[in-house]
Amino acid sequence: MSAPLPSTFAGIQNDIARALEQLLAPGGAATPDPVLDAMRYTLLAPSKRVRAVLVHLAADVCGDSARALPAASAVECIHAASLMLDDLPSMDDAPLRRGRPSAHVAHGEAVAILAAFGLLNLAYGHLARAYPAPLAARITALYTDAVGLDGLIAGQAEDVLATDAVIDFNTLERIHRRKTGVLFGAAAQAGALSAGANENAIASLTSYAKNLGLAFQIVDDLLDVVGTEAETGKAVRADARKMTFVSFSGVDGARELANDLCATAERALDPFGRRADPLRELARFVAGRRV
Ligand code: GRG
C-alpha cells in the first residue's frame, strides 16, 4: 500500500512495494519472529516511497532503469530504519508513524531497535547480492556515507542535542541537509550509477536531489505547524522544543524557501532537457505537498 504521490509515480511505487514485500517475506518459520514482524510493520506501512522513486527516476533519466530496483529497495530499508530510531523515546519520542503507532509503541523499544538494525543489515546485504561487485561496493559506500558521520547520524546527533537550545540558521541548515538532504543525494547518485551514467549526469542529479531533500525537510517542518495528523500520518505540533525553518522564517517564509530550493533543484536538470520532466514533477510535488 502506498501514500499519495502524483499518479505518474504509481507504477514505480507499486514495483517498490512488491520488491520490499519479497525482501521481507515471512519465510514460513514455525514460530513468529518478533524482529521480522517489527521490520515488516514499519517498512511495509503506507509510505510515499519518495527516495525509492528518486532512485528510479534518476536511473531513468540516464537512460536505463532496469537495474534501479535493488538500490531503490535498499534506500527505503535505510529510511525506515532511520524513522524507527528517530521515533524512540530517547530521540523524538513520537507516538505515531505512517498513520499507526510507532514501532517501539507497537513492538517495544528493544525489538524496535533490533528491527532498525535488521533493516540496515538487510539493505547492505541486498546491495551486495543484487549487483556485480564494483557497483555493489560503490552504491553501498554511497549509502553508508549518507548514513554516517557526515549524514543522518551526524544530523540527528546535532538535532537531538539542539533540543531546547538556540541555534543559528546555518546550523539548522546543516542539520537538515545531513538528516534529509544527504540521503536524497545518495538515492539519486545510486540510481544514476545503476544506469552507468557519466560523471556530469551524476553531478547534476546529486545537486538536484540535495536541494530537493532540503526542501522536503523544510516542508516537513511546515507540515508540523500547518498540517494534520490525518494527512501526515504522524503527530503534529511536535517540534515545539526545536528551532525549525518555520521558527526562523515563519510559515510563508519557509514555504518560499522550499519553493526556491525546488526551483534550484529543477535548474540542475537543464542538461537533461524534457527527459527530466518526471523529476521536475517530483520537485513540484515536494514544494506543495501536504503528506
Ligand atoms: C542509523 C539509519 C540510521 C539513522 C540514525 C535516527 C537518525 C540517525 C536519523 C533520523 C533521520 C530522519 C528520520 C530524518 C527525517 C526525514 C524525514 C523528513 C522523514 C519523513 O519522510 P517521509 O515523509 O516519510 O518520506 P514516509 O513515511 O512517506 O516514508
Side-chain angles (χ1 to χ4, degrees), residues 115-171:
F117 281 110
L119 285 172
L120 284 177
N121 222 32
L122 183 72
Y124 302 136
H126 186 48
L127 293 172
R129 285 185 200 93
Y131 291 116
L135 184 58
R138 273 195 88 176
I139 296 178
T140 307
L142 261 179
Y143 284 173
T144 53
D145 286 349
V147 169
L149 292 178
D150 198 23
L152 271 75
I153 289 173
Q156 180 75 355
E158 208 171 4
D159 191 37
V160 168
L161 295 173
T163 306
D164 293 326
V166 176
I167 55 171
D168 61 25
F169 190 85
N170 288 343
T171 304

Side-chain angles (χ1 to χ4, degrees), residues 251-271:
V251 166
D252 292 343
R255 180 67 77 191
E256 204 178 312
L257 212 51
N259 285 339
D260 287 351
L261 282 161
C262 287
T264 305
E266 282 196 49
R267 279 196 295 280
L269 300 173
D270 286 352

